[in-house]
Amino acid sequence: MDTIHEWLNQLLHWIESLGYFGIIIGLAIEVIPSEIVLGYGGYLVWKGDVNFWGAVVCGVIGALIQQWILYAIGRYGGRPIVDRYGKFLHLKPKHVDKSEQWFQKYGPIIVFTARFVPVMRQVISIPAGMARMNLALFSGLTLLASIPWSILFVWLGKSLGDNWEQIDEKAAPYVRPIILIALAALIVYFVYIYLRKRGKSI
């Protein structure tokens, strides 16, 4: 455990040394969870090393790059690549299976909603790529979800200051309403699709 903690500290110091660019890279490769990178970015804002909105923008850019990478893996490598090398990307087969089921059941809109669900927010990009989802739509939905997520965790990291490592505990009361809002958006979307199809059939 001490070795892992030391390794994590080294990575965070590396991100700190690179400033804004470090936040982008930290999120793009996501060796450590995005919440930690963004929370640490907020801590850097608290220290005065980076600007709040600069950290948020870099967080969004990094998240978008990461999802493009996963989308490309799904589109050009498909399931064989995921099954063979997914463990190196922390992608478990059961999570990929679930994300495929979600995408087949709910369609492209799930790319937005799943961004607020732990684990699934990364994995959902794989079936989107495999289905050759329109890249502009994929990027737009990913962007819309990444903005509030980045704002929340950078703000929490800034608010916590030296105690930024408590971010998971402090984020819980905020994350739950966001998930409910995302689910509500999903329901509204399906009601809209249903009414539109019904209108055409009348």
Side-chain angles (χ1 to χ4, degrees):
M1 187 64 71
D2 288 339
T3 303
I4 295 174
H5 193 266
E6 183 180 343
W7 174 76
L8 178 60
N9 281 333
Q10 289 177 349
L11 278 175
L12 292 174
H13 286 311
W14 176 71
I15 289 172
E16 182 176 3
S17 69
L18 294 176
Y20 294 112
F21 196 54
I23 296 173
I24 293 175
I25 295 177
L27 285 162
I29 60 176
E30 192 149 351
V31 176
I32 50 180
S34 61
E35 300 93 321
I36 294 179
V37 176
L38 290 169
Y40 193 71
Y43 166 68
L44 296 180
V45 173
W46 177 77
K47 284 181 62 182
D49 293 344
V50 297
N51 173 269
F52 177 84
W53 289 111
V56 169
V57 169
C58 289
V60 172
I61 292 172
L64 194 55
I65 292 173
Q66 185 212 32
Q67 300 312 318
W68 280 340
I69 293 171
L70 293 172
Y71 173 93
I73 290 172
R75 180 159 185 161
Y76 301 109
R79 190 59 192 257
I81 295 296
V82 174
D83 288 340
R84 187 169 183 179
Y85 300 107
K87 60 184 178 181
F88 300 110
L89 299 171
H90 307 292
L91 300 175
K92 295 182 179 179
K94 64 178 181 180
H95 294 145
V96 178
D97 290 340
K98 177 63 72 175
S99 68
E100 284 189 82
Q101 292 171 11
W102 282 14
F103 193 85
Q104 290 168 5
K105 184 175 182 179
Y106 301 113
I109 192 64
I110 198 64
V111 169
F112 171 80
T113 308
R115 297 293 178 215
F116 305 103
V117 181
V119 179
M120 299 306 289
R121 61 174 159 265
Q122 285 82 30
V123 187
I124 198 64
S125 298
I126 300 289
M130 291 168 64
R132 296 182 176 274
M133 178 180 171
N134 179 277
L135 183 58
L137 178 59
F138 172 84
S139 301
L141 291 172
T142 300
L143 191 67
L144 284 174
S146 299
I147 290 172
W149 195 255
S150 295
I151 291 174
L152 172 62
F153 281 94
V154 171
W155 174 75
L156 284 172
K158 175 179 178 291
S159 300
L160 290 168
D162 276 331
N163 299 313
W164 73 271
E165 292 183 7
Q166 300 174 10
I167 197 156
D168 281 343
E169 177 186 340
K170 297 296 182 182
Y174 299 95
V175 172
R176 291 191 194 101
I178 289 176
I179 293 174
L180 291 175
I181 291 170
L183 290 173
L186 184 64
I187 293 169
V188 170
Y189 170 78
F190 280 110
V191 169
Y192 167 74
I193 294 297
Y194 170 76
L195 292 176
R196 200 169 86 171
K197 286 182 178 179
R198 188 173 180 182
K200 286 184 177 180
S201 63
I202 294 174

